[in-house]
Amino acid sequence: METFLIKAVQLIFSLSLLVLIHEFGHFIFARLFKVRVEKFYLFFDPWFSLFKFKPKSSETEYGLGWLPLGGYCKISGMIDESMDKEQMAQPPQPYEFRSKPAGQRLLIMTAGVIFNFLLALFIYSMVLFYWGDTYIPLKNVTCGMEYSNTFKNIGFQDGDILLKADTATLERFDENCLRQVVNARTVTVLRDGKNVAIAIPEDMMQRILRDKEGFAYYRFPAIIAGVQSQAAIEAGLKKDDRITGINGVSAPVVSDVTNELYANRGTTVRIDILRNGQPLSVNAPIDSLGFLGIQLLNRPLAIYETVTVKYNFFGSFPAGIRLGVNTLKGYVNDMKYVFTKEGAKSVGGFGAIGNLFPASWNWRMFWERTAFLSIILAFMNILPIPALDGGHVMFLLYEVVTRRKPGDKFLEYAQITGMIILFSLLIFANGNDLLRFFSR
Protein backbone atom coordinates (compact mmCIF):
# COMPACT_ATOMS: atom_id res chain seq x y z
CA MET A 1 0.00 0.00 0.00
CA GLU A 2 2.85 2.37 0.83
CA THR A 3 4.42 1.75 -2.59
CA PHE A 4 1.11 2.51 -4.30
CA LEU A 5 0.72 5.77 -2.38
CA ILE A 6 4.26 6.93 -3.15
CA LYS A 7 3.79 6.26 -6.85
CA ALA A 8 0.32 7.87 -6.81
CA VAL A 9 1.62 11.05 -5.16
CA GLN A 10 4.45 11.31 -7.70
CA LEU A 11 2.03 10.73 -10.59
CA ILE A 12 -0.46 13.37 -9.39
CA PHE A 13 2.28 15.90 -8.61
CA SER A 14 3.97 15.35 -11.99
CA LEU A 15 0.80 15.46 -14.11
CA SER A 16 -0.52 18.50 -12.22
CA LEU A 17 2.68 20.40 -12.98
CA LEU A 18 2.58 19.39 -16.66
CA VAL A 19 -1.09 20.30 -17.06
CA LEU A 20 -0.58 23.69 -15.41
CA ILE A 21 2.39 24.48 -17.65
CA HIS A 22 0.48 23.33 -20.75
CA GLU A 23 -2.60 25.42 -19.99
CA PHE A 24 -0.44 28.38 -18.95
CA GLY A 25 1.05 28.32 -22.46
CA HIS A 26 -2.43 28.76 -23.94
CA PHE A 27 -3.28 31.38 -21.29
CA ILE A 28 -0.23 33.58 -21.74
CA PHE A 29 -0.47 33.67 -25.55
CA ALA A 30 -4.21 34.34 -25.40
CA ARG A 31 -3.61 37.31 -23.11
CA LEU A 32 -0.70 38.43 -25.29
CA PHE A 33 -3.10 38.75 -28.22
CA LYS A 34 -5.81 40.31 -26.01
CA VAL A 35 -8.10 37.28 -26.12
CA ARG A 36 -10.32 36.87 -23.07
CA VAL A 37 -9.71 33.77 -20.93
CA GLU A 38 -12.86 32.92 -18.98
CA LYS A 39 -11.55 29.97 -16.93
CA PHE A 40 -8.19 28.52 -15.95
CA TYR A 41 -8.61 25.15 -14.21
CA LEU A 42 -6.49 22.28 -12.99
CA PHE A 43 -8.63 19.17 -13.52
CA PHE A 44 -12.08 19.25 -15.05
CA ASP A 45 -15.13 20.61 -13.21
CA PRO A 46 -18.34 19.12 -14.65
CA TRP A 47 -21.29 20.19 -12.43
CA PHE A 48 -19.09 21.57 -9.64
CA SER A 49 -15.54 22.51 -8.66
CA LEU A 50 -13.53 21.88 -5.50
CA PHE A 51 -12.22 25.42 -5.37
CA LYS A 52 -12.55 28.59 -7.43
CA PHE A 53 -11.90 32.30 -7.18
CA LYS A 54 -12.03 35.32 -9.45
CA PRO A 55 -9.79 38.27 -8.59
CA LYS A 56 -11.28 41.73 -8.69
CA SER A 57 -11.09 43.39 -12.11
CA SER A 58 -10.10 40.04 -13.64
CA GLU A 59 -11.98 38.37 -16.49
CA THR A 60 -10.64 34.93 -15.54
CA GLU A 61 -11.97 32.47 -12.99
CA TYR A 62 -9.28 30.23 -11.50
CA GLY A 63 -10.15 26.90 -9.94
CA LEU A 64 -9.56 23.26 -9.10
CA GLY A 65 -11.85 20.66 -10.59
CA TRP A 66 -12.68 17.24 -9.17
CA LEU A 67 -12.07 15.08 -12.27
CA PRO A 68 -8.27 14.52 -12.58
CA LEU A 69 -8.14 13.88 -16.32
CA GLY A 70 -6.27 17.03 -17.26
CA GLY A 71 -7.12 20.71 -17.10
CA TYR A 72 -8.40 23.43 -19.35
CA CYS A 73 -8.17 27.05 -20.29
CA LYS A 74 -11.59 28.29 -21.52
CA ILE A 75 -10.92 30.87 -24.20
CA SER A 76 -13.76 33.14 -25.34
CA GLY A 77 -15.10 32.50 -28.82
CA MET A 78 -13.61 29.07 -29.24
CA ILE A 79 -15.25 25.67 -29.62
CA ASP A 80 -13.59 23.49 -27.00
CA GLU A 81 -14.46 20.84 -24.42
CA SER A 82 -16.88 23.23 -22.67
CA MET A 83 -19.15 23.08 -25.77
CA ASP A 84 -20.46 26.61 -25.07
CA LYS A 85 -22.99 26.81 -27.93
CA GLU A 86 -24.74 29.90 -26.57
CA GLN A 87 -21.61 32.01 -26.80
CA MET A 88 -20.85 30.80 -30.32
CA ALA A 89 -24.42 31.72 -31.41
CA GLN A 90 -23.73 35.38 -30.55
CA PRO A 91 -22.02 37.84 -32.95
CA PRO A 92 -18.19 37.67 -32.71
CA GLN A 93 -16.59 40.11 -30.27
CA PRO A 94 -13.16 41.78 -30.70
CA TYR A 95 -11.81 39.98 -27.60
CA GLU A 96 -12.78 36.53 -28.84
CA PHE A 97 -10.54 33.84 -30.26
CA ARG A 98 -12.56 33.57 -33.48
CA SER A 99 -12.06 37.29 -34.19
CA LYS A 100 -8.26 37.10 -34.26
CA PRO A 101 -6.07 36.46 -37.33
CA ALA A 102 -5.29 32.82 -38.12
CA GLY A 103 -1.60 33.31 -37.25
CA GLN A 104 -2.43 34.47 -33.73
CA ARG A 105 -4.91 31.64 -33.22
CA LEU A 106 -2.28 29.17 -34.42
CA LEU A 107 0.22 30.45 -31.85
CA ILE A 108 -2.37 30.27 -29.07
CA MET A 109 -3.18 26.65 -29.93
CA THR A 110 0.45 25.47 -30.23
CA ALA A 111 1.62 27.33 -27.10
CA GLY A 112 0.68 24.48 -24.73
CA VAL A 113 2.71 21.95 -26.70
CA ILE A 114 5.64 24.36 -27.00
CA PHE A 115 5.63 25.06 -23.25
CA ASN A 116 5.58 21.33 -22.43
CA PHE A 117 8.53 20.64 -24.72
CA LEU A 118 10.49 23.61 -23.38
CA LEU A 119 9.75 22.45 -19.82
CA ALA A 120 11.17 19.00 -20.65
CA LEU A 121 14.35 20.56 -22.06
CA PHE A 122 14.71 22.76 -18.97
CA ILE A 123 14.21 19.84 -16.56
CA TYR A 124 16.72 17.66 -18.40
CA SER A 125 19.22 20.54 -18.36
CA MET A 126 18.81 21.13 -14.62
CA VAL A 127 19.08 17.39 -13.87
CA LEU A 128 22.39 17.29 -15.75
CA PHE A 129 23.58 20.49 -14.06
CA TYR A 130 22.74 19.29 -10.53
CA TRP A 131 23.53 15.58 -10.71
CA GLY A 132 25.65 15.24 -13.85
CA ASP A 133 25.46 12.20 -16.09
CA THR A 134 26.69 9.01 -14.42
CA TYR A 135 26.57 5.76 -16.36
CA ILE A 136 28.27 2.40 -16.72
CA PRO A 137 29.99 1.93 -20.09
CA LEU A 138 28.89 -1.45 -21.43
CA LYS A 139 32.53 -2.41 -21.96
CA ASN A 140 32.95 -2.17 -18.16
CA VAL A 141 30.19 -4.72 -17.48
CA THR A 142 32.73 -7.52 -17.14
CA CYS A 143 30.17 -10.18 -16.17
CA GLY A 144 28.03 -9.31 -19.17
CA MET A 145 24.26 -9.32 -19.21
CA GLU A 146 21.51 -11.81 -18.43
CA TYR A 147 19.09 -12.01 -21.35
CA SER A 148 15.41 -12.82 -21.63
CA ASN A 149 14.33 -16.02 -23.36
CA THR A 150 13.17 -13.88 -26.28
CA PHE A 151 16.78 -12.88 -26.95
CA LYS A 152 18.27 -16.25 -26.04
CA ASN A 153 16.07 -17.77 -28.75
CA ILE A 154 17.90 -15.75 -31.41
CA GLY A 155 21.40 -16.54 -30.16
CA PHE A 156 22.25 -14.39 -27.12
CA GLN A 157 23.80 -16.11 -24.10
CA ASP A 158 24.01 -15.01 -20.48
CA GLY A 159 27.38 -13.35 -19.98
CA ASP A 160 27.56 -11.79 -23.45
CA ILE A 161 28.99 -8.26 -23.34
CA LEU A 162 27.24 -5.92 -25.78
CA LEU A 163 29.67 -4.23 -28.16
CA LYS A 164 28.05 -3.01 -31.38
CA ALA A 165 24.71 -2.70 -33.19
CA ASP A 166 25.76 -2.98 -36.83
CA THR A 167 28.72 -0.57 -36.91
CA ALA A 168 27.57 1.68 -34.02
CA THR A 169 29.27 1.19 -30.66
CA LEU A 170 26.84 0.46 -27.83
CA GLU A 171 27.81 2.90 -25.10
CA ARG A 172 25.36 2.36 -22.24
CA PHE A 173 22.44 0.18 -21.20
CA ASP A 174 19.27 2.26 -21.61
CA GLU A 175 16.18 2.64 -23.83
CA ASN A 176 18.32 3.83 -26.73
CA CYS A 177 20.47 0.70 -26.45
CA LEU A 178 17.36 -1.46 -26.89
CA ARG A 179 16.29 0.58 -29.93
CA GLN A 180 19.75 0.21 -31.47
CA VAL A 181 19.71 -3.54 -30.91
CA VAL A 182 16.17 -4.04 -32.22
CA ASN A 183 16.75 -1.92 -35.33
CA ALA A 184 20.12 -3.50 -36.17
CA ARG A 185 20.74 -6.31 -38.63
CA THR A 186 23.51 -7.79 -36.50
CA VAL A 187 24.68 -7.20 -32.94
CA THR A 188 28.25 -7.96 -31.95
CA VAL A 189 28.93 -9.30 -28.46
CA LEU A 190 32.05 -10.38 -26.60
CA ARG A 191 31.73 -14.04 -25.58
CA ASP A 192 34.59 -15.95 -23.95
CA GLY A 193 37.07 -13.42 -25.28
CA LYS A 194 35.82 -13.60 -28.89
CA ASN A 195 33.60 -11.31 -30.94
CA VAL A 196 30.37 -13.05 -31.96
CA ALA A 197 27.84 -11.62 -34.44
CA ILE A 198 24.13 -12.30 -33.78
CA ALA A 199 21.51 -11.74 -36.50
CA ILE A 200 18.48 -9.70 -35.39
CA PRO A 201 15.10 -10.63 -36.94
CA GLU A 202 13.08 -7.81 -38.51
CA ASP A 203 10.15 -8.47 -36.15
CA MET A 204 12.26 -8.36 -32.98
CA MET A 205 10.24 -5.62 -31.29
CA GLN A 206 7.00 -7.48 -31.97
CA ARG A 207 8.55 -10.56 -30.32
CA ILE A 208 9.47 -8.50 -27.26
CA LEU A 209 5.96 -7.07 -26.97
CA ARG A 210 4.42 -10.51 -27.51
CA ASP A 211 6.56 -12.38 -24.98
CA LYS A 212 6.58 -9.57 -22.37
CA GLU A 213 9.97 -10.75 -21.08
CA GLY A 214 11.98 -7.63 -21.82
CA PHE A 215 15.55 -7.45 -23.08
CA ALA A 216 18.29 -7.97 -20.51
CA TYR A 217 19.77 -6.81 -17.22
CA TYR A 218 23.17 -6.61 -15.60
CA ARG A 219 24.84 -9.81 -14.48
CA PHE A 220 26.36 -9.37 -11.02
CA PRO A 221 29.36 -11.01 -9.37
CA ALA A 222 28.21 -12.79 -6.18
CA ILE A 223 29.47 -10.29 -3.58
CA ILE A 224 27.96 -10.50 -0.09
CA ALA A 225 26.37 -7.16 0.90
CA GLY A 226 25.26 -8.34 4.32
CA VAL A 227 25.06 -11.44 6.53
CA GLN A 228 21.57 -11.80 8.00
CA SER A 229 21.29 -15.19 9.76
CA GLN A 230 23.11 -16.53 12.80
CA ALA A 231 23.90 -19.75 10.90
CA ALA A 232 25.67 -17.81 8.15
CA ILE A 233 27.62 -15.81 10.74
CA GLU A 234 28.66 -18.99 12.54
CA ALA A 235 29.72 -20.51 9.22
CA GLY A 236 32.21 -17.63 8.86
CA LEU A 237 30.66 -15.72 5.95
CA LYS A 238 31.40 -11.99 5.99
CA LYS A 239 30.38 -8.83 4.17
CA ASP A 240 32.37 -8.25 0.94
CA ASP A 241 33.17 -11.95 0.53
CA ARG A 242 32.84 -12.97 -3.13
CA ILE A 243 31.28 -16.40 -3.69
CA THR A 244 32.92 -18.35 -6.51
CA GLY A 245 31.46 -21.84 -6.12
CA ILE A 246 29.11 -24.14 -4.22
CA ASN A 247 29.92 -27.81 -3.61
CA GLY A 248 32.60 -27.61 -6.29
CA VAL A 249 30.22 -26.17 -8.90
CA SER A 250 31.37 -22.84 -10.31
CA ALA A 251 28.99 -20.05 -9.27
CA PRO A 252 30.66 -16.73 -10.06
CA VAL A 253 27.49 -14.62 -10.48
CA VAL A 254 24.33 -14.02 -8.45
CA SER A 255 22.04 -16.10 -10.67
CA ASP A 256 24.42 -19.08 -10.44
CA VAL A 257 24.50 -18.83 -6.66
CA THR A 258 20.71 -18.59 -6.43
CA ASN A 259 20.26 -21.66 -8.64
CA GLU A 260 22.79 -23.74 -6.71
CA LEU A 261 21.36 -22.77 -3.33
CA TYR A 262 17.89 -23.81 -4.44
CA ALA A 263 19.20 -27.08 -5.90
CA ASN A 264 20.86 -27.88 -2.53
CA ARG A 265 18.10 -26.58 -0.24
CA GLY A 266 17.83 -28.26 3.14
CA THR A 267 21.48 -29.37 3.15
CA THR A 268 24.86 -28.13 4.29
CA VAL A 269 27.17 -27.11 1.43
CA ARG A 270 30.78 -26.10 0.91
CA ILE A 271 30.98 -22.48 -0.26
CA ASP A 272 34.11 -21.29 -2.03
CA ILE A 273 34.83 -17.60 -1.55
CA LEU A 274 37.43 -14.96 -2.20
CA ARG A 275 38.22 -12.74 0.80
CA ASN A 276 40.64 -9.90 0.16
CA GLY A 277 41.86 -11.83 -2.88
CA GLN A 278 42.53 -15.02 -0.90
CA PRO A 279 40.53 -18.22 -1.68
CA LEU A 280 38.70 -19.80 1.28
CA SER A 281 36.03 -22.45 1.81
CA VAL A 282 33.36 -22.59 4.52
CA ASN A 283 30.52 -24.99 5.27
CA ALA A 284 27.09 -23.42 5.67
CA PRO A 285 23.51 -24.74 6.03
CA ILE A 286 20.82 -23.86 3.48
CA ASP A 287 17.22 -23.75 4.70
CA SER A 288 14.33 -25.65 3.10
CA LEU A 289 13.51 -22.70 0.80
CA GLY A 290 17.03 -22.38 -0.56
CA PHE A 291 18.10 -19.36 1.51
CA LEU A 292 21.58 -19.03 2.96
CA GLY A 293 20.89 -16.02 5.18
CA ILE A 294 22.93 -13.53 3.18
CA GLN A 295 22.17 -10.58 0.95
CA LEU A 296 24.06 -10.30 -2.34
CA LEU A 297 25.04 -6.96 -3.81
CA ASN A 298 22.72 -6.09 -6.71
CA ARG A 299 23.37 -2.41 -7.40
CA PRO A 300 25.21 -2.03 -10.72
CA LEU A 301 26.60 1.41 -9.86
CA ALA A 302 28.24 -0.06 -6.75
CA ILE A 303 29.82 -2.94 -8.68
CA TYR A 304 30.96 -1.73 -12.07
CA GLU A 305 33.26 1.20 -12.87
CA THR A 306 31.22 4.26 -13.84
CA VAL A 307 31.85 7.36 -15.89
CA THR A 308 30.51 10.73 -14.70
CA VAL A 309 30.17 13.75 -16.98
CA LYS A 310 29.71 17.04 -15.12
CA TYR A 311 28.13 20.16 -16.65
CA ASN A 312 28.32 23.80 -15.59
CA PHE A 313 25.15 25.87 -15.69
CA PHE A 314 25.51 27.11 -19.26
CA GLY A 315 26.94 23.83 -20.54
CA SER A 316 23.94 21.91 -19.21
CA PHE A 317 21.51 23.52 -21.68
CA PRO A 318 22.99 22.15 -24.93
CA ALA A 319 23.28 18.72 -23.28
CA GLY A 320 19.69 18.93 -21.98
CA ILE A 321 18.42 19.95 -25.41
CA ARG A 322 20.20 17.01 -27.04
CA LEU A 323 18.76 14.64 -24.46
CA GLY A 324 15.25 16.03 -24.91
CA VAL A 325 15.39 15.92 -28.71
CA ASN A 326 16.78 12.37 -28.70
CA THR A 327 14.06 11.30 -26.24
CA LEU A 328 11.39 12.76 -28.53
CA LYS A 329 12.89 11.03 -31.58
CA GLY A 330 12.97 7.70 -29.75
CA TYR A 331 9.37 8.05 -28.58
CA VAL A 332 8.13 8.99 -32.05
CA ASN A 333 10.01 6.01 -33.51
CA ASP A 334 8.39 3.68 -30.94
CA MET A 335 4.89 4.91 -31.86
CA LYS A 336 4.89 2.77 -35.01
CA TYR A 337 4.65 -0.33 -32.83
CA VAL A 338 1.41 0.90 -31.21
CA PHE A 339 -0.42 0.07 -34.44
CA THR A 340 0.55 -3.60 -34.27
CA LYS A 341 -1.44 -6.27 -32.43
CA GLU A 342 1.27 -6.70 -29.80
CA GLY A 343 1.78 -2.95 -29.44
CA ALA A 344 -1.91 -2.24 -28.88
CA LYS A 345 -1.94 -4.72 -25.99
CA SER A 346 1.00 -2.91 -24.38
CA VAL A 347 -0.75 0.49 -24.34
CA GLY A 348 -1.32 1.58 -20.76
CA GLY A 349 -3.27 4.19 -18.83
CA PHE A 350 -2.72 5.82 -15.45
CA GLY A 351 -1.51 2.57 -13.91
CA ALA A 352 1.23 2.15 -16.51
CA ILE A 353 2.22 5.81 -16.19
CA GLY A 354 2.33 5.53 -12.40
CA ASN A 355 4.66 2.54 -12.66
CA LEU A 356 7.20 4.74 -14.42
CA PHE A 357 7.93 6.28 -11.02
CA PRO A 358 10.09 4.52 -8.40
CA ALA A 359 8.63 2.80 -5.32
CA SER A 360 10.63 5.08 -3.02
CA TRP A 361 10.96 8.83 -3.46
CA ASN A 362 13.94 9.75 -5.62
CA TRP A 363 14.10 13.35 -6.80
CA ARG A 364 16.33 12.66 -9.79
CA MET A 365 14.09 9.88 -11.09
CA PHE A 366 11.01 11.98 -10.39
CA TRP A 367 12.27 14.87 -12.51
CA GLU A 368 13.52 12.58 -15.28
CA ARG A 369 10.13 10.86 -15.47
CA THR A 370 8.36 14.22 -15.40
CA ALA A 371 10.47 15.47 -18.31
CA PHE A 372 9.70 12.30 -20.25
CA LEU A 373 5.96 12.66 -19.58
CA SER A 374 6.15 16.30 -20.64
CA ILE A 375 7.54 15.19 -24.01
CA ILE A 376 4.79 12.57 -24.34
CA LEU A 377 2.12 15.14 -23.47
CA ALA A 378 3.51 17.56 -26.07
CA PHE A 379 3.63 14.90 -28.77
CA MET A 380 0.20 13.43 -28.04
CA ASN A 381 -1.43 16.86 -27.94
CA ILE A 382 -0.10 17.85 -31.35
CA LEU A 383 -1.61 14.79 -33.04
CA PRO A 384 -4.26 15.87 -35.60
CA ILE A 385 -7.20 14.54 -33.59
CA PRO A 386 -10.22 16.84 -33.07
CA ALA A 387 -10.49 17.98 -29.43
CA LEU A 388 -6.70 17.96 -29.10
CA ASP A 389 -4.53 20.99 -29.83
CA GLY A 390 -3.35 19.22 -32.98
CA GLY A 391 -6.94 19.00 -34.23
CA HIS A 392 -7.41 22.75 -33.84
CA VAL A 393 -4.06 23.33 -35.55
CA MET A 394 -5.12 21.07 -38.43
CA PHE A 395 -8.25 23.15 -39.07
CA LEU A 396 -6.30 26.40 -38.72
CA LEU A 397 -3.74 25.23 -41.29
CA TYR A 398 -6.62 24.33 -43.60
CA GLU A 399 -7.91 27.88 -43.16
CA VAL A 400 -4.50 29.41 -43.87
CA VAL A 401 -4.00 27.33 -47.04
CA THR A 402 -7.52 27.57 -48.48
CA ARG A 403 -8.43 30.98 -47.03
CA ARG A 404 -11.71 29.39 -46.02
CA LYS A 405 -12.74 29.09 -42.38
CA PRO A 406 -14.48 25.84 -41.33
CA GLY A 407 -18.04 26.46 -40.17
CA ASP A 408 -18.87 26.53 -36.46
CA LYS A 409 -21.27 23.61 -36.86
CA PHE A 410 -18.54 21.53 -38.49
CA LEU A 411 -16.09 22.42 -35.71
CA GLU A 412 -18.73 21.53 -33.12
CA TYR A 413 -19.27 18.07 -34.60
CA ALA A 414 -15.51 17.59 -34.96
CA GLN A 415 -15.05 18.45 -31.28
CA ILE A 416 -17.69 15.90 -30.25
CA THR A 417 -16.10 13.24 -32.49
CA GLY A 418 -12.67 13.97 -31.04
CA MET A 419 -13.93 13.72 -27.48
CA ILE A 420 -15.53 10.34 -28.25
CA ILE A 421 -12.22 9.14 -29.72
CA LEU A 422 -10.25 10.37 -26.70
CA PHE A 423 -12.59 8.84 -24.14
CA SER A 424 -12.53 5.56 -26.08
CA LEU A 425 -8.72 5.56 -26.02
CA LEU A 426 -8.79 6.41 -22.31
CA ILE A 427 -11.09 3.50 -21.56
CA PHE A 428 -9.02 1.15 -23.76
CA ALA A 429 -5.69 2.14 -22.17
CA ASN A 430 -6.94 1.87 -18.59
CA GLY A 431 -8.78 -1.34 -19.48
CA ASN A 432 -5.40 -2.79 -20.50
CA ASP A 433 -4.06 -1.79 -17.08
CA LEU A 434 -6.90 -3.64 -15.36
CA LEU A 435 -6.41 -6.76 -17.51
CA ARG A 436 -2.70 -6.81 -16.69
CA PHE A 437 -3.45 -6.33 -12.98
CA PHE A 438 -5.97 -9.17 -12.73
CA SER A 439 -3.93 -11.54 -14.94
CA ARG A 440 -0.92 -11.46 -12.61
Side-chain angles (χ1 to χ4, degrees), residues 32 116 293:
L32 180 65
N116 274 135

Side-chain angles (χ1 to χ4, degrees), residues 194-214:
K194 297 179 181 179
N195 286 2
V196 177
I198 301 171
I200 306 298
E202 292 184 1
D203 65 340
M204 195 63 213
M205 182 57 80
Q206 285 82 354
R207 297 188 189 196
I208 297 171
L209 295 172
R210 178 197 65 207
D211 298 342
K212 297 181 176 61
E213 292 187 347

Side-chain angles (χ1 to χ4, degrees), residues 4 64 71-72 84 97 100 123-124 149 155 164 203 267 289-290 316 370 406 424:
F4 171 80
L64 177 67
Y72 72 101
D84 191 346
F97 178 82
K100 300 300 178 180
I123 291 174
Y124 279 134
N149 288 327
K164 291 184 178 181
D203 65 340
T267 67
L289 298 177
S316 68
T370 298
S424 299

Side-chain angles (χ1 to χ4, degrees), residues 181-365:
V181 168
V182 167
N183 294 321
R185 292 190 175 185
T186 60
V187 170
T188 304
V189 299
L190 184 65
R191 181 184 300 165
D192 298 327
K194 297 179 181 179
N195 286 2
V196 177
I198 301 171
I200 306 298
E202 292 184 1
D203 65 340
M204 195 63 213
M205 182 57 80
Q206 285 82 354
R207 297 188 189 196
I208 297 171
L209 295 172
R210 178 197 65 207
D211 298 342
K212 297 181 176 61
E213 292 187 347
F215 174 28
Y217 197 61
Y218 296 101
R219 207 164 181 240
F220 302 118
I223 300 172
I224 297 177
V227 182
Q228 300 166 319
S229 73
Q230 186 61 34
I233 294 172
E234 292 175 358
L237 292 171
K238 295 183 179 180
K239 183 177 179 295
D240 296 328
D241 285 350
R242 177 170 178 173
I243 298 175
T244 59
I246 296 176
N247 274 354
V249 178
S250 177
V253 297
V254 170
S255 57
D256 295 333
V257 170
T258 302
N259 292 337
E260 288 302 314
L261 291 178
Y262 186 77
N264 291 278
R265 59 191 181 279
T267 67
T268 297
V269 296
R270 189 189 85 220
I271 299 178
D272 299 321
I273 60 174
L274 283 176
R275 180 179 297 165
N276 298 323
Q278 299 298 315
L280 298 171
S281 293
V282 299
N283 294 320
I286 306 173
D287 68 17
S288 60
L289 298 177
F291 293 118
L292 182 59
I294 60 172
Q295 180 183 0
L296 296 174
L297 194 62
N298 61 358
R299 293 182 294 112
L301 293 177
I303 295 174
Y304 296 116
E305 184 180 351
T306 61
V307 170
T308 299
V309 181
K310 290 288 187 180
Y311 297 92
N312 60 32
F313 181 75
F314 294 105
S316 68
F317 286 99
I321 291 171
R322 284 194 301 272
L323 179 55
V325 170
N326 289 336
T327 302
L328 175 61
K329 287 180 179 178
Y331 182 74
V332 172
N333 179 70
D334 292 345
M335 282 297 293
K336 63 187 177 187
Y337 300 113
V338 172
F339 302 100
T340 64
K341 179 181 177 181
E342 296 83 4
K345 291 180 181 179
S346 70
V347 172
F350 291 113
I353 297 172
N355 282 327
L356 292 174
F357 293 95
S360 58
W361 197 282
N362 180 304
W363 276 112
R364 175 170 188 157
M365 292 186 69

Side-chain angles (χ1 to χ4, degrees), residues 64-125:
L64 177 67
W66 61 271
L67 187 60
L69 297 179
Y72 72 101
C73 181
K74 187 179 185 310
I75 297 173
S76 295
M78 175 183 168
I79 297 175
D80 58 10
E81 56 268 23
S82 67
M83 298 302 293
D84 191 346
K85 298 179 183 179
E86 291 183 10
Q87 184 185 77
M88 299 305 294
Q90 303 299 317
Q93 300 298 318
Y95 58 77
E96 290 186 333
F97 178 82
R98 55 181 166 168
S99 301
K100 300 300 178 180
Q104 292 184 7
R105 283 181 279 138
L106 189 62
L107 285 172
I108 292 171
M109 292 316 305
T110 56
V113 168
I114 292 170
F115 271 48
N116 274 135
F117 187 60
L118 291 177
L119 175 65
L121 300 184
F122 178 76
I123 291 174
Y124 279 134
S125 299

Side-chain angles (χ1 to χ4, degrees), residues 379-395 421:
F379 176 75
M380 297 301 292
N381 259 287
I382 205 62
L383 292 176
I385 299 174
L388 291 178
D389 295 343
H392 292 285
V393 169
M394 176 176 64
F395 295 132
I421 292 172

